[in-house]
Amino acid sequence: MKKDLLVLSAVKTSTLHFSSQDTAQFCVQSSDSSSPAGENLATNGLPFPWSKVRLPSYIVPVHYHLLIHPNLTTLRFNGSVKIEIDVKNNTNWVVLHSKNLKIFTATVLDEHEAHLSDKVLSVLEYPSHEQIAIFSPKILTSGEKYFLYLEFGAPLSDGFYGFYKSTYKTKAGETRVLASTHFEPTSARMALPCFDEPIFKANYTVRIRRGPSHIALSNMPLEQTVEIGNGLFEDQFEVSVRMSSYLLAFIVCDLRSVSGMTATGINITIYAVPEKWHQTHYALEAALRLLEFYEQYFNILYPLPKLDLIAIPDFQAGAMENWGLTTYRETSLLYDPDISSASDKLWVTMVIGHELAHQWFGNLVTMEWWNDIWLNEGFARYMEFVSLEAVYPELKVEDHFLDTCFGAIGRDSLNSSRPISSLAENPAQIEEMFDTVSYDKGACILHMLRNFLTNEGFQSGIIRYLRRFKYSNARNEDLWDSLIKYRFAGEHIDLKKMMYTWTLQKGIPLITVKRQGRKLYIGQERFLKIVLPDDPSCYLWHIPLTYKTSHSDYEMKHILTTKSDVLTLDEEVDWVKLNSDMNGYYIVHYDEEGWNALTELLRINHTALSFKDRASLIHNAFQLVTAGRLSLNRALDLIGYLKSETHNVPLLQGLGYLQSFYKMIEKRNIIFRDFLSGSISYFRDVIDKQSWSDDGMVSDRRLREEVLSLACDFDYPPCLEKAKHLYNSWVESNGAISLPTDVSETVYMVGAQDDSGWAYLLEKYGVSMCETEKSKFLSALASSKDSEKLSRLLQLGINGTLIKTQNLPSLIYLVAKNPVGHFLAWDFVKKHWDELVEKFPLGSFGIRNIIVGTVTQFSSTEELREVEDFFKSITEQVSELRVIQVATENVEKNIMWLSRNLETMRTWLQQRLN
């Protein structure tokens, strides 16, 4: 991919020691947590037989036989499950997961499926752990085979988890209902009683009952359909492979499909709402090509006979990798060439690449527990780039990878970051593990490792890992044990020790560089944007350094395993650039001479460095400004060369920082006007070169999309005039003419600034049959400078009819980043907090995006106090959520940036303008 709270003791910083001769020492998290003392009582007041959040290991599921019947009229479902269990220790109790299910019957059967007891077995419920316990009067004996049989029912969920209802409207205005599942990480228990932890892998035999106007889908192909009377049919599916409960999936719907077959005989089918069927064809092409690539790259055939990709009308995340039945938000799977932009196409391809990679990383080999979810998500995120670079080189996905690592650094340079492999016990903590650290930092350290080991060494190691743990579970260390024994400069490198420094401690290293003659004095420390006075100094990484000089045509390497080191160059040089192509996950800070030399190099001959090196220099410089390690003047002087830049990645990096400054200072009118004038004059040549078309390579088109959006945001008159002209022509044709897809969102934003334009876009939003187009309309509507219109939008979002609930978190963020909407969005979140938590579970993508998104533009001590006061008022709900720390720290960072840099920027602008 992509609740009840338990009180765990505080996580403390400690030191981990290795017993090897070269002792490594670094900061890791440990926990002193233990179950709270006291008796655990079930809902009926009786003692519950199990006190821990995780299930006991002495009963293991082997095979689930599931029958499920959703009623799409009453919006309820009933079901039964017969679970073959393996008993490891003698016991009278079976403890498993169940959440919001009504258990009608519970029975234990022997291996011949005879009842062990004539009595009705009692079921104890313990909702705070989402567990139930069944008591067997007869002892279940170790080594014997038993079956647990349960009948149950519940309403279809109103949210996006468990077995939930989704709706869509036809062009004629008819509302249709379907039922779909989303179980990751801990919601299979909302659809059936089960052992809902990743280590409990089992086979599943699924039967689904439905009406004649619907189809049923599950992980495996349909084996047979039986008519059972009363207009009902029962679809019976083949037995699944061994898999974790969160990968089980079933859907009852009336969607339409298109199919194709891979070279190895795997049937791939794309499903969508019937009137969006024409948007499925690109996804089919991409899925066929990418699945064939993965089979070759991993040297392991996809083990199921089919793979379905289905666009669900209501879906919170981007997509979900259910084995054989992957589910997607419509914007992540459907592509309309007449409406979707180059960026939209790249997004769809990357999401498909991500979910297909999961069929191996996550499904075939699954992490043992959620603390290592990065083994799923970090790999899948990284394989997006590996696969697209090989299969779709024209999409230039490598241009996008730096942004992934820059995003990870943004989070990892805060005190509120966490180690890649972190403690997570209850559902809210587990939900929070699906974050930038698991996905993006995970991908970036894998890229660093691949660059260090060579492509071939990395590939052979992960093939070994997949083969060793297929249909099983793995831990962090199992991956490092599977990688090749590596020698560097004649010495054996302990990869496990090296990679522990990246996965078991939080943060990102800062490499300091001072050059004196042929000597390079290198140091490492933790990079922090806000330095704590008591921050421990135990941070130490094993860093594969790379560097280039003015006199080298090749990359040089060195492994830094100590706090400081001295490198000797072959000869004196004019400049040194560390972290070649940003292949390493670290920030570099040069001494004054070093920054001067690189700034001058960019000014006179910027192509002496690769586009990745140029972009990473810009990024590192402004990160150091935020941390107070480099003056803003120096960073702004560094990007002075951008007038001559032609590559989209460094250009967009520089423009991105200017846009972030613009957002920060737009409340301060005097410097704000100077900033606009200075920025426009600085980049006028780049802006004026852009055509209002879809011509050119993907990289050209991405640059055009971003630059013209920024120019209109900066009120550049030629941009506003052209956009307004295009918008008026589009309205006059009643939407019949096609706008250039890459600039359509910018055109809509300009058009939305007057009453009639805004009203027309809202009308078009209601009738559009393309979710990608609707997302552009929504961005435009939320850019209005009329607070009443923004309030109306937020109300439509909370109502969930015209604007679907799935889009509410992004709508709140869009309003919050609008200067007119800062406080509007924040007040809305405070007022509707309880409703929002009902719609989006604590720790989920949705609630995290809402919390961080609403405060992202706050930059004063008064605003910080307001944020802290609100979070204190809901402490009981959010005390364990890291996202609260992230949001608060972001505001503190903004305050500090302004106090350090506002006057510097004012002076710099006045000098340039004069």
Side-chain angles (χ1 to χ4, degrees), residues 639-675:
I639 64 169
Y641 91 96
L642 285 177
K643 286 184 177 182
S644 309
E645 181 62 80
T646 56
H647 199 284
N648 69 307
V649 174
L651 264 173
L652 291 176
Q653 191 63 26
L655 286 166
Y657 278 109
L658 290 179
Q659 189 169 30
S660 67
F661 301 157
Y662 163 79
K663 293 294 179 190
M664 197 100 69
I665 65 174
E666 59 192 335
K667 300 175 213 171
R668 295 156 178 84
N669 288 330
I670 300 172
I671 188 172
F672 178 56
R673 287 197 297 273
D674 286 347
F675 181 83

Side-chain angles (χ1 to χ4, degrees), residues 18 20 22 24-26 445-453 476 480 483-484 486 488 492-505 509 540-545 558-561 583-586:
F18 288 97
S20 64
D22 299 319
Q25 184 173 319
F26 52 89
I445 70 160
L446 288 171
H447 178 69
M448 178 172 67
L449 182 61
R450 183 182 180 217
N451 187 65
F452 179 64
L453 294 178
N476 192 18
W480 315 133
L483 290 167
I484 61 171
Y486 188 75
F488 179 80
H492 169 67
I493 302 299
D494 187 337
L495 282 179
K496 184 188 286 190
K497 185 196 292 187
M498 173 179 160
M499 296 312 296
Y500 274 167
T501 71
W502 296 97
T503 58
L504 299 185
Q505 66 180 347
L540 179 72
W541 289 265
H542 289 193
I543 307 170
L545 296 177
H558 177 77
I559 301 176
L560 181 64
T561 59
N583 285 325
Y585 185 72
Y586 53 91

Side-chain angles (χ1 to χ4, degrees), residues 379 627 722 793:
F379 257 107
K722 180 66 176 177
L793 270 187

Side-chain angles (χ1 to χ4, degrees), residues 724 727 731 748 751-762 781:
K724 188 65 177 172
Y727 184 78
V731 171
Y748 299 145
Q753 299 314 310
D754 62 49
D755 291 348
S756 62
W758 196 89
Y760 185 74
L761 281 172
L762 187 62
L781 291 164

Side-chain angles (χ1 to χ4, degrees), residues 738-751:
S738 292
L739 291 169
T741 60
D742 298 327
V743 298
S744 58
E745 188 170 333
T746 297
V747 171
Y748 299 145
M749 283 183 170
V750 172

